[in-house]
Amino acid sequence: MIALDGVTKAYRTTSGEHVVLDRIDAVFPERVSVGILGRNGAGKSTLLRILGAAELPDEGTITRQGRVSWPIGFAGGFHGSLTGEENCRFVARIYDADLDEVVESTRAFADIGTYFSMPVRTYSSGMRARLAFGLSMAIDFDTYLVDEVTAVGDSKFQAKCRQAFAERQERSSVIIVSHQLKTIRDYCQRYAVLRRGQLHFFDDIAEAERAYEANP
Amino acid sequence: MSASVSAASPSPTSPTAPSTLDTLVQGTLTQLQVIHALALRETRTRFGAHQLGYVWALLEPLFWIGTFWGLFALAGREAPNGMPIVAFLATGVLPYEVAMKTADRCGNAVSGNRALLFYPQVQPVDLVLARGVLEGATYGAIFLVILGTEALVSQRFEIHDALLVAGGLGLGALFGTALGLVLCSLSVLSNVVERLKGPLFRPLFWMSGLFFTAESVPSNVRDVLLWNPILHCVELVRDGFFPSYTAHHVDVGYVLVWIVALAFVGLTLERVVRRKVEVT
């Protein structure tokens, strides 16, 4: 469960202050997967970083229950000069998980062959996403924060991601941000649209679609 | 680290909120785990990037020792108080290097590890402390290697008071880490720090007793030089190392005041900066 109370985040730019999240109150309940739609630049990634406590809000409070993953996506979290395996060991250490188990399970899930023992900077963005996703699956979280990542890879990898989440639906939920409806449709029971710093929730995907497609 | 504790602690099984003490203990354990993981990771990136990685760490102090050795030979000068020249220079260069290199590397801790701030239990202060631990251990090892080699070559080995030597190096490492924490936090706020660091700290190289002792300079010069805490570390190491040398002017309390003051400023700034670091 993650609850937001009056969460505000603004960035200073050369053209003045840009408010990305404007006093958001929201509750993401346990075991309910939520898909958040937003256009490029709407603040989706910022919201995800704040949900995962990678960044702190300027104002407001966030309450988390259970283990929340780091924002899983293309960027961040990996050190370029370390190999995929070394990065896995690091993450396993800071989450107090079994090193060998995490490494083996990530190796199997990411399925990137010999690249697993090569520096991450040699990876394509797809391979980074596979590694990030496989690694997050190897560590048990109650809530997974996912940044578009499931949209990458071939259909086989996408099927694998869906299956992995289906298997743990009983105990975990996922919060996915995306600018595409079809990415979130397969994973989520609730939907939200992030627009102009506000988060609007919908139980029905058709309603969410209408709100998302409507002119801002 | 309130936010990181809640994210990193095991999923709550008991309905009652954990006591403050539990939170503190759990948070400290998590932080130690994070610093351990970071220090291991740093070891890999600091020394693993090049072949002969550890040799590079030895080369810089050896270069300075060699340069001053050559200059002393040319000028026909000898080390004061009958100290062997290589040991005299090494006991000056290494405490200086442990302090300043640690400060430098800790100062760059965030810019080199921004990606890791993605994980909520990793905070800027952890990045700094991990580098401090690694640099302290590295220069301790370099000290043993260089002076051990010197002892083998000269067939003479007598450490007067090993505890004082370790204390001097340890204070140097702590001073460097505390200074690095301040620099690191400031560098998030402004990139001016990065540019000013070099010119501001360069004079310390000539003022830290690398090639002189506090006893061997005129008293009016000494009074000025003793404001420099690194000189105290060097004096402490030499006092401990050489039976023939006694540092009358060393003041451990003075160095500790510096460390505590810098740590206070650094930790305060880190709290401010936490909100401002852009995680990418």
Side-chain angles (χ1 to χ4, degrees):
Chain A
M1 193 277 294
I2 306 179
L4 280 69
D5 183 15
V7 168
T8 299
K9 182 80 182 176
Y11 289 105
R12 240 176 301 158
T13 62
T14 43
S15 55
E17 193 153 88
H18 176 60
V19 179
V20 184
L21 307 175
D22 190 7
R23 282 161 294 177
I24 292 183
D25 300 317
V27 176
F28 295 87
E30 257 170 77
R31 288 190 291 279
V32 177
S33 293
V34 181
I36 300 170
L37 289 163
R39 308 223 174 264
N40 289 329
K44 300 187 293 290
S45 299
T46 303
L47 176 62
L48 217 51
R49 284 200 296 270
I50 284 185
L51 287 175
E55 270 181 46
L56 298 172
D58 297 334
E59 279 166 44
T61 54
I62 299 164
T63 318
R64 299 179 191 81
Q65 264 168 30
R67 272 161 70 115
V68 179
S69 82
W70 71 92
I72 303 152
F74 302 109
F78 293 129
H79 198 286
S81 55
L82 295 182
T83 69
E85 178 173 348
E86 286 165 341
N87 272 296
C88 290
R89 286 181 177 276
F90 172 75
V91 174
R93 275 199 188 96
I94 62 172
Y95 282 99
D96 201 14
D98 186 282
L99 264 59
D100 295 330
E101 251 176 63
V102 168
V103 167
E104 280 323 305
S105 143
T106 311
R107 190 201 302 276
F109 197 101
D111 197 18
I112 50 175
T114 51
Y115 273 99
F116 194 60
S117 37
M118 280 159 59
V120 166
R121 76 173 113 77
T122 64
Y123 288 23
S124 68
S125 59
M127 287 196 285
R128 268 169 178 263
R130 277 166 174 262
L131 183 69
F133 199 80
L135 179 54
S136 69
M137 285 293 134
I139 299 169
D140 258 330
F141 290 111
D142 298 305
T143 307
Y144 287 86
L145 305 173
V146 179
D147 193 349
E148 306 253 17
V149 75
T150 49
V152 301
D154 44 30
S155 53
K156 196 175 142 218
F157 182 71
Q158 291 192 20
K160 210 173 182 177
C161 293
R162 272 196 296 277
Q163 200 201 334
F165 273 124
E167 276 169 14
R168 55 185 70 209
Q169 210 165 29
E170 295 294 299
R171 52 203 161 94
S172 315
S173 63
V174 56
I175 298 173
I176 302 183
V177 299
S178 177
H179 60 269
Q180 287 181 54
L181 206 64
K182 70 173 170 49
T183 315
I184 65 171
R185 187 185 292 141
D186 299 327
Y187 290 94
C188 305
Q189 291 94 48
R190 287 202 84 195
Y191 309 92
V193 174
L194 181 63
R195 171 177 291 159
R196 279 188 262 163
Q198 294 297 322
L199 201 55
H200 306 281
F201 282 87
F202 302 92
D203 287 318
D204 181 55
I205 192 160
E207 274 177 57
E209 187 175 9
R210 263 198 301 281
Y212 181 53
E213 299 294 341
N215 285 324
Chain B
M1 28 197 286
S2 57
S4 40
V5 171
S6 65
S9 57
S11 50
T13 41
S14 63
T16 52
S19 72
T20 317
L21 186 67
D22 285 349
T23 313
L24 193 68
V25 169
Q26 190 59 47
T28 311
L29 289 178
T30 305
Q31 190 169 16
L32 288 176
Q33 213 163 30
V34 166
I35 292 170
H36 174 229
L38 282 169
L40 288 176
R41 203 201 64 86
E42 287 280 338
T43 311
R44 181 73 180 80
T45 43
R46 187 173 183 322
F47 300 113
H50 319 275
Q51 288 172 325
L52 306 174
Y54 284 103
V55 175
W56 285 113
L58 262 171
L59 277 182
E60 190 171 352
L62 281 179
F63 171 80
W64 287 118
I65 293 167
T67 306
F68 283 119
W69 192 5
L71 288 173
F72 269 57
L74 275 178
R77 264 183 69 186
E78 292 199 347
N81 296 59
M83 304 180 205
I85 181 74
V86 172
F88 165 71
L89 292 171
T91 50
V93 168
L94 291 169
Y96 168 82
E97 291 257 302
V98 71
M100 292 320 289
K101 289 285 163 181
T102 304
D104 187 47
R105 289 194 52 84
C106 287
N108 294 326
V110 164
S111 58
N113 288 305
R114 212 174 279 272
L116 300 180
L117 295 172
F118 243 65
Y119 305 105
Q121 59 273 60
V122 180
Q123 294 296 339
V125 66
D126 302 317
L127 301 176
V128 170
L129 289 178
R131 285 200 167 180
V133 169
L134 180 61
E135 293 306 304
T138 302
Y139 280 94
I142 291 174
F143 187 87
L144 289 179
V145 169
I146 291 181
L147 287 153
T149 310
E150 199 271 342
L152 277 178
V153 171
S154 67
Q155 291 294 308
R156 185 176 45 192
F157 184 72
E158 38 179 359
I159 289 186
H160 172 56
D161 186 344
L163 212 57
L164 276 187
V165 174
L169 288 171
L171 284 176
L174 282 176
F175 174 78
T177 308
L179 178 59
L181 183 62
V182 175
L183 292 174
C184 179
S185 304
L186 288 176
S187 75
V188 174
L189 298 174
S190 159
N191 55 10
V192 175
V193 183
E194 186 57 40
R195 292 171 200 284
L196 285 181
K197 219 158 59 175
L200 276 181
F201 291 140
R202 204 157 302 145
L204 289 177
F205 183 80
W206 307 102
M207 295 162 59
S208 299
L210 275 69
F211 49 90
F212 60 87
T213 66
E215 304 297 325
S216 66
V217 293
S219 64
N220 57 335
V221 177
R222 183 196 305 138
D223 289 346
V224 177
L225 291 178
L226 281 172
W227 286 97
N228 172 10
I230 299 175
L231 177 60
H232 289 266
C233 298
V234 170
E235 288 286 302
L236 207 60
V237 170
R238 287 198 176 130
D239 191 339
F241 199 82
F242 302 105
S244 61
Y245 185 66
T246 309
H248 295 289
H249 302 280
V250 76
D251 186 350
V252 175
Y254 175 69
V255 184
L256 284 173
V257 167
W258 265 100
I259 293 170
V260 171
L262 284 171
F264 180 77
V265 173
L267 288 169
T268 311
L269 278 173
E270 195 259 357
R271 281 283 154 173
V272 176
V273 152
R274 258 185 208 190
R275 286 170 185 276
K276 298 193 194 257
V277 182
E278 276 177 35
V279 186
T280 43

